[in-house]
Amino acid sequence: MAKILVVEDEQPISDLITMNLKLVGHQYIKAFTGAEALSIIEREPLDLILLDVMLPELDGFELMQRLRSRQLPVIMITAKDSLTDRITGFELGAEDYIIKPFEILEMLARINVVLRRSPTAEQSIVIDGIEIRLEERQVYQNGSVIELTAREFELLEVLIQNKNIALSRERLLELAWGYDFAGETRTVDVHIRQLRKKLGWEERIKTVYKLGYRLEVEGGA
Ligand code: CA
C-alpha cells in the first residue's frame, strides 16, 4: 500500500484514477492544480506522484522543477504523445510516463514498478495517524516529523516488530540497545515514557505488570 498524490485537473480522469488506486489498496490525495499539489507535497508524506503535464497555474514541468531536491518518484501523465515532453520529463527526474488515454491496468503496473524501485515507499506503517517510515527512520504526524532520538526510534522499531507481545525490560534492552545492560532497566522506562509522550501512545504502549511493556495494535496494522 502506498500513498499517492494524483495531480490531474480533469475531474473524470482524476476520479477514474483514484477509484482504481483505491481498488488495489492504495491511499490517494487529489490535487487539481500545480499550486494545490505543491502545498500538499509540503505537508504530507507521499510515496509517489502521478502528475499531469497540462495543469492550470503551475504546469507539471514547473512543479517538477520545484521538487528536484526531493526523493519523491513521479510518473508523468501527458495527453500528447510528444517526444519533447517525455524527454523534458525525464530530464526533470520523472521515473516514468503514461500517455493519455491510457489503460488502467497499464497505469497500475507502472506504479508498481516505480514503487518497487523506491526504497522509501515500502516499510511504512501507520498506527493512530502516526506514520513510521522504517527505511527513512522518521516518524510523521499530519505531515510533520516527530523528532525521536536514535534510541527512541530503535525502541519503537522493536515494539512494532513485536507488536501485541509482552517484552521484558531485559529483552527490550537486548533488542533495542543491542547489549546486556543488566541492572539499568530503568533506562527502558525512561525511553518508554518519552515515546508515549511524543507519540501520544499512553494507551498503546501498555505496562505489563512486573515484566515490561507491550505495544497493542489491533488488526493488521
Ligand atoms: Ca490536464
Side-chain angles (χ1 to χ4, degrees):
M1 188 195 80
K3 194 164 180 187
I4 299 173
L5 175 63
V6 178
V7 192
E8 167 61 74
D9 57 317
E10 287 162 77
Q11 181 88 48
I13 299 177
S14 174
D15 289 347
L16 179 72
I17 292 173
T18 52
M19 186 184 76
N20 282 281
L21 291 178
K22 195 178 168 192
L23 276 177
V24 296
H26 292 305
Q27 287 181 288
Y28 64 82
I29 303 177
K30 289 180 181 182
F32 296 95
T33 68
E36 202 184 336
L38 208 55
S39 79
I40 292 168
I41 292 161
E42 293 295 332
R43 61 168 203 264
E44 293 283 338
L46 298 164
D47 298 308
L48 177 76
I49 305 178
L50 281 175
L51 180 61
D52 187 21
V53 173
M54 306 291 280
L55 290 169
E57 293 172 40
L58 195 70
D59 74 21
F61 293 140
E62 288 170 283
L63 186 65
M64 287 209 59
Q65 251 152 7
R66 303 204 188 184
L67 294 181
R68 281 194 119 160
S69 60
R70 292 169 195 261
Q71 304 291 319
L72 200 50
V74 174
I75 298 178
M76 308 283 301
I77 305 171
T78 170
K80 295 173 288 183
D81 184 8
S82 156
L83 185 62
T84 328
D85 270 10
R86 272 180 271 157
I87 291 171
T88 309
F90 283 131
E91 278 172 356
L92 290 172
E95 290 279 327
D96 206 347
Y97 64 92
I98 313 172
I99 297 161
K100 280 196 253 184
F102 51 85
E103 292 292 328
I104 283 296
L105 285 178
E106 185 200 347
M107 177 194 82
L108 294 173
R110 285 176 186 266
I111 288 172
N112 283 339
V113 169
V114 170
L115 287 175
R116 271 202 301 273
R117 278 204 295 256
S118 159
T120 56
E122 288 161 22
Q123 305 262 0
S124 168
I125 296 156
V126 181
I127 301 169
D128 292 344
I130 295 200
E131 183 179 22
I132 301 115
R133 298 196 164 199
L134 298 174
E135 293 275 349
E136 262 180 62
R137 303 184 71 74
Q138 290 277 31
V139 178
Y140 293 90
Q141 186 173 34
N142 300 323
S144 313
V145 172
I146 298 178
E147 300 287 347
L148 296 187
T149 64
R151 196 61 74 193
E152 285 162 3
F153 192 90
E154 299 274 346
L155 186 59
L156 176 61
E157 200 173 2
V158 166
L159 288 169
I160 288 170
Q161 283 160 353
N162 298 281
K163 64 186 180 203
N164 300 321
I165 297 171
L167 295 166
S168 68
R169 290 177 176 80
E170 291 76 15
R171 185 78 182 128
L172 283 167
L173 275 177
E174 231 177 273
L175 293 172
W177 275 255
Y179 55 91
D180 186 14
F181 210 55
E184 281 298 334
T185 51
R186 280 177 50 84
T187 309
V188 176
D189 301 329
V190 171
H191 283 79
I192 289 280
R193 201 176 309 139
Q194 282 300 106
L195 266 187
R196 277 175 173 158
K197 202 165 95 188
K198 289 184 179 180
L199 306 176
W201 280 10
E202 279 80 7
E203 293 304 312
R204 283 252 166 243
I205 305 176
K206 298 279 185 201
T207 303
V208 182
Y209 182 64
K210 284 191 173 174
L211 181 81
Y213 299 96
R214 177 177 62 236
L215 174 67
E216 292 194 348
V217 182
E218 318 78 28

